[in-house]
Amino acid sequence: MNHSFTWQGRHDGDGEEHRRIHHVVNTRQHASFALIGFGSDEGVKRNKGRLGAADAPDMIRAQLANLPVHQSVSIVDIGTVVCEQGQLEKAQAELADQVERSLQQGMKPIVLGGGHEVAFGSFSGLFQYIQHHEPQQKIGIINFDAHFDLREAEQVTSGTPFLNAAKLSEQNQKEFHYLCIGVAKHSNTKALFDTADRLNCQYIYDQQLQLSEIDHLISKINGFIEKIDALYITVDLDVFNASIAPGVSAPAVKGIDLSVFDPLFQAIKKSGKMRVFDVAECNPRFDLDNRTAKLAAYIIFNYIFD
């Protein structure tokens, strides 16, 4: 684990009304939320994407640091799992162990990616925890993403995490429950749609994500959640339009808008079933004015605070 990041930022006064996130991180031994970085773009490299996402965790932390604290909260920063010498599978296993350990300690893990290969590590951590402690519970994945990430490949990549999750579930005789929100038809081959249909995945197209359809969309999402006990939520930042998320491996021509994302995310949060959450594909190398890192921090802020 890498622990090089220093939490610091603006200080306007000593009262609680002046507190920012950098003031509260690592101030309590037992926290409600655990931040875990995943410094990897090896999966993106294997998937022939744009490199740079390995640097994302600390850039997201830097944007989080100065955000205000409006209610009592406890956060611990566990550090960053770093993928070294291309050993992605080892890094994913280490992340899974950190996620499971955080859950065992009663914390909600928030994983800062990193390429979307982070997803298999995050999912595996929740899967391990459920297997060891609550084996009767059903896990569901909700992925905000322009891509299914159900690609067949000889090794794990940023394009394979949910097929990897499906195979892990099958190996343990568990049902696979997957909802992908924001799927772009122009970004997925027919083979990927066929795989999604074969695995009984649910999906919502990007063009369906309209503000006028919010009630219908929330109803569909709630229908998925009702059958699930524990949720893993992952937000691939390339689901958003490139104007607000330029710093990703595959910028979106269309993408979705925050005015639609926010109420959907809050509806999922309201279920009380979110156990593991991550953001993925933030790529500082291609970011503009830290827009994508700021977007990641904004989403995390809205997860932590009511």
Side-chain angles (χ1 to χ4, degrees), residues 26-258:
N26 296 332
T27 58
R28 298 186 194 176
Q29 187 173 359
H30 300 289
S32 298
F33 297 94
L35 297 176
I36 310 171
F38 187 69
S40 170
D41 53 17
E42 174 64 24
V44 177
K45 179 181 179 181
R46 296 178 184 183
N47 203 33
K48 300 178 174 58
R50 303 197 300 180
L51 302 185
D55 298 326
D58 283 356
M59 295 302 293
I60 297 172
R61 287 182 174 102
Q63 296 304 321
L64 275 171
N66 272 323
L67 296 184
V69 173
H70 290 285
Q71 64 199 58
S72 179
V73 67
S74 52
I75 305 169
V76 63
D77 184 0
I78 292 175
T80 297
V81 174
V82 179
C83 178
E84 297 178 318
Q85 299 177 334
Q87 298 183 68
L88 176 55
E89 293 81 357
K90 180 180 178 182
Q92 288 175 321
E94 183 180 351
L95 174 60
D97 289 343
Q98 292 294 340
V99 167
E100 181 183 16
R101 190 172 298 118
S102 299
L103 291 167
Q104 288 171 341
Q105 295 173 1
M107 297 186 287
K108 293 182 177 180
I110 302 173
V111 185
L112 315 175
H116 215 179
E117 62 264 29
V118 66
F120 186 56
S122 295
F123 174 81
S124 296
L126 177 58
F127 191 88
Q128 290 171 189
Y129 176 81
I130 295 294
Q131 285 286 89
H132 294 154
H133 300 279
E134 301 166 351
Q136 76 286 353
Q137 290 205 348
K138 295 180 180 179
I139 300 175
I141 302 169
I142 298 181
N143 175 30
F144 285 90
D145 200 340
H147 310 91
F148 281 119
D149 288 345
L150 290 166
R151 191 182 301 276
E152 287 275 5
E154 294 181 359
Q155 57 183 346
V156 298
T157 76
S158 62
T160 68
F162 304 109
L163 187 61
N164 301 144
K167 290 179 178 179
L168 178 62
S169 301
E170 183 182 12
Q171 288 164 7
N172 289 273
Q173 294 80 51
K174 298 292 183 181
E175 295 177 358
F176 180 61
H177 301 277
Y178 177 44
L179 169 61
C180 190
I181 302 175
V183 172
K185 197 168 185 179
H186 65 276
S187 297
N188 296 271
T189 63
K190 184 177 183 300
L192 289 168
F193 278 97
D194 290 345
T195 299
D197 293 338
R198 174 173 59 82
L199 293 172
N200 295 315
C201 302
Q202 297 183 38
Y203 47 93
I204 301 172
Y205 288 109
D206 54 355
Q207 66 259 31
Q208 294 177 286
L209 296 172
Q210 304 294 330
L211 200 55
S212 60
E213 297 296 318
I214 283 294
D215 289 343
H216 172 70
L217 293 167
I218 289 175
S219 178
K220 183 167 184 175
I221 292 169
N222 283 339
F224 176 83
I225 293 174
E226 284 172 4
K227 303 171 184 177
I228 299 303
D229 300 300
L231 280 172
Y232 160 47
I233 309 299
T234 177
V235 178
D236 185 327
L237 296 165
D238 72 20
V239 77
F240 296 99
N241 185 270
S243 62
I244 61 171
V248 294
S249 179
V253 174
K254 186 179 188 301
I256 69 172
D257 191 81
L258 278 174

